[in-house]
Amino acid sequence: MPELEQAPKLDQAPKLDQAPKLDQALAEVAAEMAERSDRGDVATYIPQLGKVDPRKFGIAAVTNDGRVLVAGDADQPFSIQSISKVFTLTLALGNVGDALWKRVGREPSGNPFNSIVQLEHENGIPRNPFINAGAIVISDILLAGHQPREAIGEILRFIQFLADDETIIIDREVAASERATGYRNFALANYMKSFGNLHHAPELALGVYFHHCAIAMSCRQLAMAGRFLANGGKNPATGHSVVSAERARRIGAMMLTCGHYDGSGDFAFRVGIPGKSGVGGGILGIVPGVASLAVWSPGLNANGNSKLGSIALEKLARMMNWSIFAP
Ligand code: DON
């Protein structure tokens, strides 16, 4: 069990009107994280990710009232990896609606993100859309009626639209690196195919999956893309609806309960907001009604979630008195 961060205790957390200004809080958190020597371990099972400098740290907040505040390496793109699963889930729900839940569950797995153990007992239905097996089924759903190239393009354009930024790209070297070493994901996809829970060839669903995981974004771009989740499903800048308010709540519920795999309970306990991590070291955090947050520190903890990213969000949430459980 990771140590809880020292500072301030919940009953000592500032009241909202005493909270520091957000730009000061971000700068303080970034300065403190820069000093840390124990930064976790960069993922190496995708060789291309192992090349990233573990000293990087970035953080960004985009508030519903339109402020974009950043600190550290917030403009450097990194591999968003599993954070992309929030956006593919959103797209797939838009395509097939609640029928999606016949093929993917809504329960935390309590297992690592790439585990295969539950699939046999549960007839090839993954526990949730954020573990790898669940996200591969979502990729299969997004393939319906498309070539892989078109499905990948649709995902990328959706994320560019959400972030209002057409410069966001897929890092082809990361996608190729993952495909070359993705033996577990091939095993998961083949296993689900044997249960009839993939409608396309495993290599096609995996092609979509590897490419959306390889999307590269900065903290600023990621926090921008998450705005609709902090604002009841609407882009706060334009007022345009991305999803219904109910769907935004439900995606947030999935992030809270499943967004950090077998570390989801600990993240909810320590940070108290919905979050989604990726093995590239990023985390997207949502403060409903207030702000979309993104943090990046490449070193991971034992559950494969950003070590300093989790600590930074824990500190920021305490400083700002942000929690979905706050009265
Ligand atoms: O399939 C994989 O293993 C990666 N593309 C994504 C895993 C991931 O990001 C888990 N997150 N913490």
Side-chain angles (χ1 to χ4, degrees), residues 85 88 104 126 128-140 192 205 209 212-213:
K85 297 170 184 175
T88 56
V104 188
N128 67 66
F130 295 153
I131 53 173
N132 289 6
I136 294 166
V137 172
I138 301 290
S139 287
D140 189 67
M192 291 190 292
Y209 173 79
H212 73 64
C213 286

Side-chain angles (χ1 to χ4, degrees), residues 45 81-82 113 132 178 185 209 213 261 277-279 304-305:
Y45 77 98
Q81 292 294 321
S82 287
F113 59 86
N132 289 6
E178 184 168 358
N185 286 328
Y209 173 79
C213 286
Y261 312 104
S277 68
V279 285
N305 302 314

Side-chain angles (χ1 to χ4, degrees), residues 79-100:
S79 191
I80 66 167
Q81 292 294 321
S82 287
I83 303 170
S84 60
K85 297 170 184 175
V86 173
F87 306 116
T88 56
L89 171 65
T90 305
L91 257 187
L93 282 168
N95 289 1
V96 300
D98 286 338
L100 179 147

Side-chain angles (χ1 to χ4, degrees), residues 141-176:
I141 291 172
L142 293 174
L143 256 177
H146 292 302
Q147 296 298 320
R149 181 184 293 272
E150 295 164 349
I152 294 163
E154 189 189 4
I155 297 166
L156 181 62
R157 282 190 300 277
F158 181 56
I159 291 176
Q160 290 174 336
F161 164 74
L162 293 174
D164 194 17
D165 191 332
E166 289 182 3
T167 66
I168 296 166
I169 53 152
I170 294 173
D171 185 329
R172 307 262 160 205
E173 287 184 8
V174 171

